[in-house]
Amino acid sequence: MRSGYLILFLLFFYHLSSLAQQVKIACLGASICAGARLQHPETESYPAQLGRLLGPGYEVTNYGVSSTTLLKKGDHPYWNTPQYKAALAGNPDIVLIDLGGNDSKLVNRVHLDEYEADYRDMIHAFRALPSHPRILLLQPVVSFVKDTTQIWDPVIREQILPKVRQVAYDENVELVNLNALLIGKPGLMPDGIHPELEGTRLMAKTLFEVLQPVRDTALNVISHLPGNKKISSFYGYRCADFDFRGRACKVVAPKFAAAGHPWIWRARFWGHEPQTDIALLERGYHVVYCDVAELFGNREAVQLWNGYYSLLHKAGLARKAVMEGMSRGGVYVYNWAAENPDKVAAVYVDNPVLDLCSWPGSQFKKQLPNRGEWEAFKKDYGFTSDSAAMNFKGSPLYKTKEIVKGRYPMLHVLADADEAVPPGENTLPFEEKIKALKGNITVMHKPGFGHHPHSFPDPTPIVDFILAAVK
């Protein structure tokens, strides 16, 4: 009998100690945080779902209050609510701040010049707590309402989001781009403002991916880069611009590096459709770039990248990189990967050029008067005649045997109506060859789309692919 009491006592003690060790997360926000319009907000709001995803080691408390603003002079300031005071009193370990949508209303826009200062004050209030919490700023979701006096998406997009990014950069706190998740998905927001259950699931999943990984707070890749570095903001993240062997280079650092120090290497068109890069920064990836335009992936480009890879790997980044190429960037990515199969974790390319005789060869085929890229390609590869250049077999389409040696997964986002880089001359024959060699390739089709726009407004399918590949 005594042993039974002892077991019960030990179980009770273990329960109390586990509760004491829980990571406390405070979710501050307005109606979306509170779970407005959901049938069961106590279980269906994104904070409630986040708590279930994180598990018993976390205590997630929802401090959401409908209609509230971050602005102190707003029509319903969050600052004046009991929930704000309770969140501070709770001494949380992690704070998620989701305020800004209501600040876009006409009645509040007159005070938007004070938005950044008010946001900093809220950050400082939580930083002053004994727990010194990790703070994440959640960028407000898209709005589909038509009433320009209410929560108005152009104001969110053009004024609120840049201000949130600037505050995150200035205060060195984390950002989570919830805004991108629901762009182009009005069906998930029946009233135009509040996500239904599927929308809050996407929000909770994103926050889980940001919060759950182990972080390395000591890594500082930027400090190991050569020469004079210019530091600026890339969507709220520190971006270092510097020269390497006469080429312009960039390294963007996450707020905290994920364990293993993963990174994605943008091949071309820096900053174009950056949503995947931003989402990976949120998850602890570095984003890097080395400008080898316009060398079309030739020997010089590959050698430059070999040196750049060595520099970044010595600075602390993982042995294998995720390679990213849009349009002609596909040639750069795959030509380098063909020579470095053991250094590639995954490839993501978007409407990629895979045969230079298709593009820019099309400029020669069509006898275009301005065919600058075609002439540059000929020069890069030492061709003196068009006819010789049109027999070129050094494109990725002809390097599939070398490419599959890496056994890394490949993702192609493909616009089926691409007029500039025809799928039938690039991705489709490439896919057929890769599959014949038992390679790992996934093609996501975009029916009816042309060469532009690249990527997806919500990069989740691409990000999920990359996270699974790197794992």
Side-chain angles (χ1 to χ4, degrees):
M1 193 73 172
R2 288 180 178 175
S3 63
Y5 282 121
L6 178 60
I7 291 172
L8 287 173
F9 174 77
L10 290 174
L11 288 173
F12 178 69
F13 180 78
Y14 173 77
H15 176 68
L16 288 179
S17 63
S18 64
L19 287 177
Q21 295 171 4
Q22 281 184 315
V23 176
K24 294 190 291 184
I25 300 180
C27 296
L28 286 63
S31 55
I32 295 177
C33 179
R37 302 299 181 99
L38 295 169
Q39 287 188 330
H40 304 286
E42 68 281 0
T43 59
E44 296 176 349
S45 67
Y46 74 77
Q49 295 185 62
L50 175 62
R52 289 196 297 275
L53 289 172
L54 290 170
Y58 292 80
E59 177 190 357
V60 180
T61 304
N62 191 338
Y63 293 104
V65 185
S66 294
S67 302
T68 50
T69 66
L70 187 133
L71 286 165
K72 295 176 181 178
K73 294 179 181 176
D75 60 340
H76 191 180
Y78 188 82
W79 300 83
N80 300 339
T81 65
Q83 286 84 348
Y84 174 61
K85 297 176 178 62
L88 286 168
N91 200 33
D93 302 295
I94 299 174
V95 179
L96 309 182
I97 305 177
D98 180 13
L99 291 164
N102 290 308
D103 299 84
S104 71
K105 293 178 179 177
L106 179 62
V107 67
N108 297 317
R109 290 172 209 163
V110 66
H111 304 300
L112 279 180
D113 285 347
E114 300 173 38
Y115 183 88
E116 292 182 33
D118 290 350
Y119 220 142
R120 290 191 184 93
D121 286 349
M122 185 171 287
I123 291 169
H124 296 165
F126 280 98
R127 273 189 173 154
L129 295 176
S131 60
H132 303 297
R134 176 183 176 186
I135 300 172
L136 296 90
L137 313 187
L138 313 187
Q139 298 191 64
V141 302
V142 64
S143 169
F144 295 102
V145 300
K146 304 299 183 184
D147 185 348
T148 61
T149 68
Q150 295 303 308
I151 298 175
W152 186 231
D153 195 62
V155 175
I156 293 175
R157 185 175 63 251
E158 297 167 15
Q159 297 188 56
I160 301 293
L161 297 184
K163 292 179 186 297
V164 176
R165 290 193 290 263
Q166 188 62 47
V167 171
Y169 179 74
D170 292 341
E171 297 294 331
N172 195 28
V173 295
E174 294 172 76
L175 270 172
V176 184
N177 186 13
L178 296 183
N179 182 267
L181 290 179
L182 299 170
I183 292 176
K185 301 174 185 175
L188 300 185
M189 303 173 70
D191 68 348
I193 300 174
H194 301 95
E196 61 176 14
L197 183 57
E198 181 58 30
T200 56
R201 281 179 183 153
L202 289 173
M203 297 171 73
K205 171 182 175 292
T206 298
L207 291 168
F208 172 74
E209 290 174 353
V210 172
L211 291 173
Q212 187 261 347
V214 176
R215 302 177 299 152
D216 184 346
T217 59
L219 182 69
N220 187 352
V221 172
I222 289 178
S223 67
H224 295 285
L225 301 177
N228 296 322
K229 297 178 286 287
K230 178 183 177 183
I231 306 298
S232 60
S233 174
F234 178 80
Y235 294 91
Y237 295 86
R238 290 177 70 227
C239 175
D241 286 85
F242 63 103
D243 286 338
F244 175 75
R245 296 182 183 174
R247 292 281 171 168
C249 296
K250 298 176 185 288
V251 171
V252 185
K255 303 297 181 179
F256 301 100
H261 309 162
W263 49 304
I264 184 166
W265 189 337
R266 166 73 76 121
R268 197 70 171 76
F269 306 114
W270 176 256
H272 179 66
E273 299 290 347
Q275 45 269 38
T276 295
D277 298 339
I278 294 169
L280 291 174
L281 283 163
E282 294 170 359
R283 290 154 177 80
Y285 280 60
H286 284 74
V287 180
V288 312
Y289 176 78
C290 177
D291 186 1
V292 289
E294 194 66 75
L295 297 177
F296 290 106
N298 68 356
R299 170 56 50 188
E300 182 183 354
V302 170
Q303 289 178 342
L304 281 164
W305 275 17
N306 287 343
Y308 193 55
Y309 167 87
S310 296
L311 169 71
L312 296 178
H313 183 44
K314 288 177 183 177
L317 295 185
R319 187 174 68 85
K320 293 187 176 184
V322 177
M323 307 302 294
E324 176 186 19
M326 293 184 179
S327 191
R328 72 190 76 173
V331 173
Y332 293 83
V333 162
Y334 276 122
N335 277 3
W336 189 80
E339 294 203 17
N340 297 277
D342 60 328
K343 298 180 177 68
V344 178
V347 166
Y348 154 53
V349 289
D350 203 299
N351 295 337
V353 174
L354 301 174
D355 185 357
L356 290 165
C357 294
S358 171
W359 188 96
S362 57
Q363 298 177 359
F364 164 65
K365 295 174 193 174
K366 296 175 183 177
Q367 295 298 311
L368 297 177
N370 181 10
R371 52 182 196 170
E373 289 92 351
W374 174 249
E375 295 301 329
F377 154 68
K378 287 167 56 183
K379 180 181 178 182
D380 290 338
Y381 284 92
F383 292 113
T384 57
S385 70
D386 292 331
S387 58
M390 285 304 294
N391 290 315
F392 179 65
K393 301 299 184 212
S395 295
L397 185 60
Y398 304 100
K399 296 182 178 181
T400 50
K401 289 183 180 179
E402 294 87 346
I403 288 167
V404 297
K405 288 179 182 177
R407 299 184 180 276
Y408 45 79
M410 295 165 263
L411 173 63
H412 287 224
V413 174
L414 184 65
D416 291 342
D418 190 338
E419 71 295 340
V421 183
E425 299 175 3
N426 293 273
T427 285
L428 297 183
F430 181 86
E431 177 189 20
E432 184 178 344
K433 287 186 174 186
I434 293 293
K435 287 183 174 178
L437 295 167
K438 308 300 182 185
N440 184 352
I441 186 169
T442 299
V443 178
M444 292 183 184
H445 292 266
K446 295 167 64 176
F449 278 82
H451 192 63
H452 293 282
H454 291 286
S455 189
F456 301 111
D458 170 17
T460 297
I462 301 168
V463 173
D464 286 349
F465 174 90
I466 292 171
L467 295 180
V470 173
K471 262 180 195 175

